[in-house]
Amino acid sequence: MKKETQCVHSGTLQDAATGGINSPIYCSTAAEYLDRTEVPYQRYFNTPNQAAVVRKVAALEGAEDGVLFGSGMAAISTTLLALLRAGDHAVLQAELYGGTHAFVAELFQQVGIGFAFVDLTPEAIEAALTPATRVIFLETPTNPLLHLVDLRRVADLARARGVLTLVDNTFATPLNQNPITLGVDVVLHSGTKYLGGHSDIQCGIAVTNGTLAKQIRHTACHLGGSLNAATCHLLERSLKTLHLRVERQTANAGRLAAWLADQPVVARVYYPGLPSHPGHDLARRQMVGFGAMLSFELKPGDVTSLNLQRRLQLIRPAVSLGGVETTICAPAQTSHIKLTRAEREALGITEDLLRLSVGIEHVDDLLADLEQALASTSAR
Ligand SMILES: *Cc1c(COP(=O)(O)O)cnc(C)c1O
């Protein structure tokens, strides 16, 4: 099946009682056990509503199986703890989602797992591998500068050494990039973002092959970060329109990126779909679409990062991303606020950088809002 069809149909549960065409919601946390080999229980990650979502996302990512969690961080932390033990080593890119970076930096030390944060070139990743390395963890495109990593090259060099490659695919979505088809072993998502898509549910998922899924599920039962039936239902409902949303969001982002790049007050635009982006050729090879996240910097002048955010009327200054509504934030004051200014500058994140999460609105309304907000104060 094509992805559009998988979004709608993959994983849907039969409703024998009523013939209804939607998956029924199974909310019991107590179930009869006599004459049953397995009792469904949310924290065992074995309920029908969890399975329905896993099958849909696994189909979209080209995976065999997966484990559904109560947040993106539950998916990431549980997966890493399932695949690593004391004495093992992990190589992670330095430009990583802040929560993942903090989890590794704080918790790996406590449990005796070695780690190295490295630059995102395949050469830097290869150079950081040690005989104890079991896992490489990547994100592409990165937050907030949309840098790209060559997934096939990293997956190939990892496989040659018996190392697993994990990719947080939250920014790209399963519509715009499928790391498993490029040789990656495990794909993770913060479902709170595009999969949920309406800025109203928290969830996460890991999809992979059958053997690794079993291993992750085993650790997940200990850690307990499962997703309840009501939220599984909302997520399944959201995923039916994932394709429509992401297609529109990606198209809108392409238009906004090109328009911003033409504005005299804009110094730089970071978007993989722009031919000027250093990862543009790689993006064309490994992505289906260029995604709906973009960042930009303003030239010094009377429109600043802060007053631009205050002047916008439709686009809301807000944290998080991936919803149907367009939002804007300054990473230096939000996602990267815990770093020092020097650490941010080393990553290329200036105090004035602005990140847009582009929604499904009509692009003309988004352009009009940006245009009125960017108009110089003196010209008003
Ligand atoms: C938000 C996010 C996470 C964490 O997800 P939560 O659902 O907030 O736990 C992980 N990775 C990326 C890239 C994210 O944007």
Side-chain angles (χ1 to χ4, degrees):
M1 285 193 289
K2 306 276 192 214
K3 290 198 173 178
E4 293 84 337
T5 316
Q6 289 171 333
C7 281
V8 178
H9 292 288
S10 291
T12 307
L13 305 170
Q14 298 292 320
D15 183 356
T18 70
I21 60 170
N22 290 312
S23 300
I25 304 173
Y26 295 96
C27 60
S28 292
T29 54
E32 290 184 3
Y33 69 94
L34 300 178
D35 308 318
R36 284 178 188 276
T37 47
E38 200 183 357
V39 178
Y41 189 60
Q42 279 160 24
R43 209 245 310 141
Y44 293 163
F45 297 81
N46 66 351
T47 68
N49 292 109
Q50 291 167 336
V53 172
V54 166
R55 283 202 298 268
K56 202 188 284 292
V57 178
L60 289 167
E61 286 286 14
E64 287 170 12
D65 196 2
V67 190
L68 182 62
F69 292 90
S71 71
M73 279 315 300
I76 291 165
S77 58
T78 303
T79 299
L80 285 169
L81 292 175
L83 303 180
L84 293 160
R85 39 206 38 108
D88 288 349
H89 179 261
V91 172
L92 309 99
Q93 75 198 52
E95 255 182 271
L96 214 53
Y97 175 71
T100 310
H101 195 287
F103 165 73
V104 169
E106 285 177 37
L107 215 108
F108 276 21
Q109 258 161 18
Q110 284 177 32
V111 299
I113 300 166
F115 59 93
F117 286 115
V118 301
D119 210 25
L120 27 76
T121 63
E123 292 75 17
I125 291 164
E126 187 160 30
L129 298 176
T130 75
T133 306
R134 300 279 168 270
V135 157
I136 297 172
F137 190 103
L138 308 169
E139 252 171 56
T140 177
T142 61
N143 178 30
L145 293 174
L146 291 309
H147 289 143
L148 261 71
V149 193
D150 190 330
L151 291 179
R152 190 182 289 280
R153 275 190 62 196
V154 177
D156 284 352
L157 73 86
R159 187 146 300 181
R161 309 238 200 154
V163 174
L164 296 172
T165 311
L166 280 52
V167 170
D168 180 338
N169 204 30
T170 301
F171 265 43
T173 82
L175 273 313
N176 280 330
Q177 178 170 272
N178 293 126
I180 288 175
T181 64
L182 302 167
V184 165
D185 299 287
V186 184
V187 167
L188 298 139
H189 283 279
S190 167
T192 315
K193 315 297 165 57
Y194 289 98
L195 306 188
H198 296 72
S199 308
D200 58 2
I201 58 173
Q202 186 120 50
C203 51
I205 192 164
V207 292
T208 178
N209 63 43
T211 314
L212 290 177
K214 212 171 150 195
Q215 201 175 326
I216 296 165
R217 194 173 299 114
H218 179 83
T219 300
C221 290
H222 293 314
L223 297 178
S226 57
L227 192 66
N228 65 78
T231 311
C232 287
H233 164 70
L234 287 175
L235 177 55
E236 187 182 346
R237 192 181 200 275
S238 290
L239 286 168
K240 292 183 186 186
T241 56
L242 178 69
H243 151 261
L244 289 172
R245 287 186 278 114
V246 170
E247 193 174 272
R248 168 67 77 88
Q249 286 168 305
T250 303
N252 280 354
R255 285 281 304 280
L256 294 193
W259 184 85
L260 283 166
D262 273 350
Q263 303 310 303
V265 293
V266 172
R268 260 187 96 166
V269 180
Y270 301 86
Y271 183 64
L274 293 177
S276 59
H277 186 277
H280 181 65
D281 288 339
L282 176 58
R284 294 183 74 95
R285 269 183 278 133
Q286 78 181 11
M287 299 181 79
V288 178
F290 301 114
M293 298 299 301
L294 66 97
S295 294
F296 62 100
E297 274 157 20
L298 297 170
K299 287 181 185 155
D302 49 43
V303 187
T304 64
S305 149
L306 188 62
N307 68 21
L308 174 69
Q309 291 180 76
R310 292 199 193 282
R311 285 177 184 189
L312 288 165
Q313 287 162 8
L314 182 63
I315 300 172
R316 305 273 294 269
V319 297
S320 199
L321 60 111
V324 290
E325 62 287 303
T326 302
T327 58
I328 192 164
C329 72
Q333 274 102 57
T334 55
S335 56
H336 292 69
I337 197 165
K338 289 198 182 129
L339 302 187
T340 64
R341 194 177 171 138
E343 285 171 327
R344 280 194 294 269
E345 264 159 26
L347 291 173
I349 300 166
T350 61
E351 301 307 291
D352 281 340
L353 184 77
L354 287 167
R355 187 193 76 181
L356 276 171
S357 167
V358 182
I360 64 170
E361 300 94 336
H362 197 290
V363 71
D364 291 348
D365 292 326
L366 299 174
L367 289 170
D369 196 25
L370 283 167
E371 186 163 27
Q372 65 79 21
L374 281 173
S376 84
T377 4
S378 50
R380 289 177 153 221

